[in-house]
Amino acid sequence: MNKTRTSIVDIAHAAGVSKSTVSLVLQGSPLVNEKTREKVNALIGDLGYVYNRGAANLRQSKSKIIGIVVNDLTNSFFAELAVGMDMMVQSAGYVQFLAHSGESVDRQREVISSMRENGIAGLILSPARGTEASDIKPLADSGIPVVLVVRNVPGAKVSTLLSDNYVGAKAAIRHLISLGHSRIAFMGGFVDTAVFGERLRGYRDALAEANIPLNEKFVIHSAPSRAGGVAAVERMMVFAERPTSALCLNDAVAFGVCDGLRSSNIEPGKGFGIIGFDDVIEAKTAVPALTTVSVDPQGMGQRAAQLVLKQINAGQTDPESIVTSVRLVVRQSCGAPVKQLEELA
Amino acid sequence: MNKTRTSIVDIAHAAGVSKSTVSLVLQGSPLVNEKTREKVNALIGDLGYVYNRGAANLRQSKSKIIGIVVNDLTNSFFAELAVGMDMMVQSAGYVQFLAHSGESVDRQREVISSMRENGIAGLILSPARGTEASDIKPLADSGIPVVLVVRNVPGAKVSTLLSDNYVGAKAAIRHLISLGHSRIAFMGGFVDTAVFGERLRGYRDALAEANIPLNEKFVIHSAPSRAGGVAAVERMMVFAERPTSALCLNDAVAFGVCDGLRSSNIEPGKGFGIIGFDDVIEAKTAVPALTTVSVDPQGMGQRAAQLVLKQINAGQTDPESIVTSVRLVVRQSCGAPVKQLEELA
DNA sequence: CTTCTAATTTGGAACGTTCCAAAAAACAAG
DNA sequence: CTTGTTTTTTGGAACGTTCCAAATTAGAAG
């Protein structure tokens, strides 16, 4: 309703002091007299003053905004990641521009440039598939800290926070082997992503380690989604010699694989061992409970936020690469005889 | 790296014109000569100038930022809602502060006030449980359009966009009755939310309509989550006379109910009919595919964004209340003999 | 070459804050 | 009552834009 919002000079005038004094009060400076501080604070409440952070940012040429771009919010792994970041960011007194790129690099570019115009202090990016170093370069060059999370971008000279995909996949396969499986599939994912490559490498090496020959047909590509899992099973069913278990690219695929098996009257966890990757919240409550490589997305989000906040505060520091450890959580879907926990470094 | 980012006066100087002219170019004004426009645009590219929207906002005392607060991003219904909003907001040339309240009113209050300091043009709020009208009042009073989505807040004099929970629930129960069920449960949800109340009312009325007496025990409260669905089934299993089907508060609960039934060796869709509410993406691909009341969260998000954008552009308008229609999507989980589609107004 | 009009450009004030150097006030000591 | 010291307060410039009224330039007509 108010034509013009009340500003610092309005309350200064009302309190009979200068705007500088009010500013000092706002910043909690110890320089002001206790009496004036109280008077000013009272007026602030009465007049319904709201601080204009934009103006402050302009003057100080810095901001309290962190940009976050996530490739797919509807995937609960990334949603949890976002929630973790949110927690950290808010409690550090920052706010976030949180955007969803929907795996579109164009969209992502637009969003990043819009964030740039709005003056972000740092950016956390879970890049869309096909993101190139040049998409991030201008931002990074202008001195804004950038943290890449979950997926790496080849050639980008910025900080990264990735999970240990190789070790996780290897541990999962070892576990399946220890349960007596030898025909083990790898399901889901597109070949052009780094995550897929690393997990596949873990799969291969673990098989090699156990002298199990690799059957290329057992690497079944599909969309990294629930629907993709269903599709992968359909593809598998026509094989003459079928796998008896599978490591899935992620939990979404694993759930899809369960769905697909049921459609073919195979009971997941009994007739076929399944291991996922990520450990989203539903993994625990699903039936059968999903054996999976836990990545702790929420914790990862928090760490990413911490990292970017650290870099903002430190001015400019060198890019840092963190690999977060990962652990296999054994539940029912792999058909393990007993419930047991295996920890990894 | 640059000590100070290049501003409008830098390019003005380089181009040998005044800052006003550059500003005109930036705004795409038809007043500037084609030659100067080109020269300026070239320099903008060369010098790596980035527009400072904050400064512009300060001058014009308006902003291109929309605040969005969602109670639970890890619930895929709300995640999709957020994605829908995101699409609309971005394509209107706005950016969004998207925050997650985690069902905490305190958190929500903090977040809203922080958004206010940062100068949002409008707010879309999917309120945390227990939100009161007073939490929104100051914002609305200061003339910032607020749209409440999914959940209403009693006493708040702002626009709302809600789905037709009553009609949807009624349709679902009618369908179960038409399949021959008479012992129908209502599962999931806490009694203090409006959504729960409306859906429950639809359940009651549909039963009354068919002269089926209401068994209070068949209304089984639980958390509105997958885990809550599992819990509800456990509670149900001890009944002497058990329901043969259930309407669930939402899809998450419905999936949990499926999980719970399987644990008790009941095949969802065969031994027990299940209907969800929301129609999240996984509903279609799950096994059995979930019969559910489709709310189209993404579309709802888009409409909410449109509404708030409309109000921003229109200056101040009266609060508007929209109820979005809803339709029953019949799939496998209700045990329907044939696949059929029933449309509602 | 004037004069008139249309097209283009331009200084400065303003937006709401912070920062700085300096002024004013309060207090202490001589 | 000085003088010195400490505490508190204060104008104005600055941040990067937009807006306005006014100035300048270009073009047309006489």
Side-chain angles (χ1 to χ4, degrees):
Chain A
M1 288 295 120
N2 292 332
K3 200 75 233 158
T4 166
R5 62 198 269 181
T6 65
S7 83
I8 218 179
V9 324
D10 296 322
I11 49 179
H13 190 252
V17 297
S18 78
K19 59 182 165 32
S20 307
T21 307
V22 178
S23 173
L24 257 4
V25 172
L26 253 20
Q27 296 167 75
S29 160
L31 267 54
V32 295
N33 184 297
E34 203 47 49
K35 294 257 280 284
T36 38
R37 179 194 307 281
E38 278 168 20
K39 188 165 49 174
V40 167
N41 276 329
L43 260 333
I44 285 179
D46 292 353
L47 303 190
Y49 165 76
V50 351
Y51 184 69
N52 185 334
R53 202 169 291 275
N57 288 347
L58 175 58
R59 175 63 233 259
Q60 322 183 109
S61 51
K62 65 167 185 159
S63 98
K64 285 287 208 176
I65 303 176
I66 291 185
I68 300 180
V69 183
V70 165
N71 54 296
D72 184 11
L73 262 185
T74 63
N75 177 325
S76 52
F77 174 80
F78 292 104
E80 284 181 59
L81 191 75
V83 168
M85 295 176 188
D86 181 288
M87 291 175 61
M88 214 59 223
V89 166
Q90 304 280 0
S91 63
Y94 282 69
V95 289
Q96 56 194 321
F97 283 132
L98 173 49
H100 162 92
S101 67
E103 296 288 9
S104 151
V105 274
D106 292 335
R107 192 65 189 286
Q108 181 176 279
R109 233 191 310 269
E110 283 172 23
V111 155
I112 291 179
S113 94
S114 157
M115 286 180 171
R116 214 170 152 213
E117 291 187 353
N118 281 279
I120 53 177
L123 175 73
I124 307 176
L125 176 64
S126 164
R129 235 192 332 273
T131 301
E132 290 169 18
S134 63
D135 294 329
I136 322 174
K137 188 135 195 312
L139 242 203
D141 282 351
S142 68
I144 297 176
V146 176
V147 171
L148 252 31
V149 71
V150 180
R151 298 173 173 179
N152 204 347
V153 170
K157 297 270 293 165
V158 298
S159 297
T160 56
L161 183 75
L162 307 170
S163 57
D164 201 338
N165 295 308
Y166 174 76
V167 168
K170 207 161 166 178
I173 299 299
R174 278 181 184 154
H175 182 70
L176 287 174
I177 293 172
S178 79
L179 294 175
H181 291 279
S182 62
R183 296 208 303 278
I184 303 174
F186 185 93
M187 289 182 168
F190 295 125
V191 74
D192 62 340
T193 66
V195 171
F196 175 85
E198 290 164 17
R199 293 183 185 172
L200 183 64
R201 198 160 51 83
Y203 164 82
R204 289 204 148 111
D205 286 4
L207 289 181
E209 196 182 72
N211 290 314
I212 297 177
L214 177 70
N215 183 340
E216 285 291 354
K217 279 176 64 183
F218 284 4
V219 177
I220 308 178
H221 300 281
S222 79
S225 63
R226 193 153 182 152
V230 176
V233 171
E234 282 168 8
R235 215 100 53 73
M236 176 190 81
M237 294 310 291
V238 306
F239 292 174
E241 189 185 49
R242 279 192 229 138
T244 60
S245 61
L247 170 62
C248 301
L249 180 79
N250 61 28
D251 287 351
V253 171
F255 288 130
V257 168
C258 290
D259 292 342
L261 289 171
R262 284 207 186 91
S263 297
S264 305
N265 290 311
I266 300 175
E267 184 57 22
K270 303 253 170 59
F272 194 95
I274 299 164
I275 298 188
F277 213 114
D278 287 350
D279 198 17
V280 301
I281 5 173
E282 304 100 42
K284 196 166 21 213
T285 52
V287 174
L290 193 65
T291 294
T292 188
V293 180
S294 173
V295 169
D296 184 15
Q298 204 152 318
M300 208 166 161
Q302 288 178 309
R303 243 162 310 165
Q306 277 167 337
L307 182 53
V308 80
L309 287 167
K310 188 180 94 182
Q311 301 204 342
I312 290 170
N313 293 330
Q316 195 53 0
T317 41
D318 292 327
E320 203 167 320
S321 289
I322 301 182
V323 173
T324 65
S325 66
V326 116
R327 66 181 225 283
L328 183 69
V329 179
V330 178
R331 301 203 181 96
Q332 277 82 56
S333 71
C334 59
V338 277
K339 200 160 186 169
Q340 69 187 62
L341 242 71
E342 187 179 330
E343 293 276 348
L344 302 175
Chain B
M1 289 296 125
N2 292 332
K3 200 75 235 160
T4 165
R5 64 196 266 178
T6 65
S7 83
I8 218 178
V9 324
D10 296 321
I11 49 178
H13 190 252
V17 298
S18 79
K19 58 184 167 29
S20 307
T21 306
V22 178
S23 173
L24 257 6
V25 171
L26 252 22
Q27 297 167 72
S29 161
L31 266 54
V32 295
N33 183 297
E34 203 46 50
K35 295 256 283 282
T36 37
R37 180 194 307 282
E38 278 168 20
K39 186 165 51 175
V40 168
N41 277 328
L43 260 333
I44 285 179
D46 292 353
L47 303 192
Y49 165 76
V50 351
Y51 183 69
N52 185 334
R53 203 169 289 276
N57 288 346
L58 175 57
R59 174 63 230 261
Q60 328 183 101
S61 50
K62 65 166 187 162
S63 97
K64 286 286 211 175
I65 304 176
I66 291 184
I68 299 179
V69 184
V70 164
N71 54 296
D72 184 9
L73 261 186
T74 64
N75 177 325
S76 51
F77 174 80
F78 292 104
E80 285 182 59
L81 191 75
V83 168
M85 296 176 188
D86 180 288
M87 290 175 60
M88 214 60 224
V89 166
Q90 304 281 2
S91 63
Y94 282 69
V95 287
Q96 56 193 321
F97 284 132
L98 173 49
H100 163 90
S101 67
E103 296 289 8
S104 151
V105 275
D106 291 336
R107 192 67 190 285
Q108 181 176 279
R109 233 191 310 269
E110 283 172 23
V111 156
I112 291 179
S113 96
S114 157
M115 284 180 173
R116 217 174 149 208
E117 291 186 353
N118 281 279
I120 53 177
L123 176 73
I124 306 177
L125 175 64
S126 163
R129 236 191 332 271
T131 301
E132 290 169 18
S134 63
D135 293 329
I136 322 175
K137 189 137 193 315
L139 242 204
D141 283 350
S142 68
I144 297 175
V146 176
V147 171
L148 251 32
V149 71
V150 180
R151 298 173 172 178
N152 204 349
V153 170
K157 298 268 294 163
V158 298
S159 297
T160 56
L161 183 76
L162 308 170
S163 57
D164 201 338
N165 295 309
Y166 175 74
V167 168
K170 207 161 166 180
I173 298 300
R174 278 181 183 156
H175 182 71
L176 286 174
I177 293 172
S178 79
L179 294 175
H181 291 279
S182 61
R183 298 208 303 278
I184 304 174
F186 185 94
M187 291 182 165
F190 295 124
V191 75
D192 63 340
T193 66
V195 171
F196 176 85
E198 291 164 16
R199 293 183 185 173
L200 183 63
R201 198 158 52 82
Y203 164 81
R204 288 204 148 113
D205 287 5
L207 288 181
E209 197 180 70
N211 290 313
I212 298 176
L214 177 71
N215 183 341
E216 286 291 354
K217 279 176 64 183
F218 284 3
V219 177
I220 308 176
H221 300 280
S222 77
S225 62
R226 193 154 183 149
V230 175
V233 171
E234 281 167 9
R235 214 102 51 72
M236 177 190 80
M237 293 311 291
V238 306
F239 292 173
E241 189 185 49
R242 278 190 231 140
T244 61
S245 62
L247 171 61
C248 301
L249 180 78
N250 61 27
D251 287 350
V253 171
F255 287 130
V257 169
C258 290
D259 292 342
L261 290 171
R262 285 208 184 91
S263 296
S264 304
N265 289 312
I266 300 175
E267 185 57 22
K270 302 252 172 56
F272 194 95
I274 300 164
I275 298 187
F277 213 113
D278 288 349
D279 197 19
V280 300
I281 4 173
E282 303 100 43
K284 199 169 14 212
T285 51
V287 174
L290 193 64
T291 293
T292 188
V293 179
S294 174
V295 169
D296 184 15
Q298 205 152 315
M300 206 166 163
Q302 288 179 309
R303 243 161 311 168
Q306 276 168 338
L307 182 54
V308 80
L309 287 167
K310 188 180 93 181
Q311 303 206 340
I312 290 170
N313 293 329
Q316 194 55 359
T317 42
D318 292 327
E320 203 167 320
S321 288
I322 301 182
V323 174
T324 66
S325 67
V326 118
R327 66 181 224 280
L328 183 68
V329 178
V330 178
R331 300 202 182 96
Q332 277 83 56
S333 71
C334 59
V338 276
K339 201 159 187 171
Q340 69 185 66
L341 240 72
E342 187 179 331
E343 292 278 346
L344 301 175

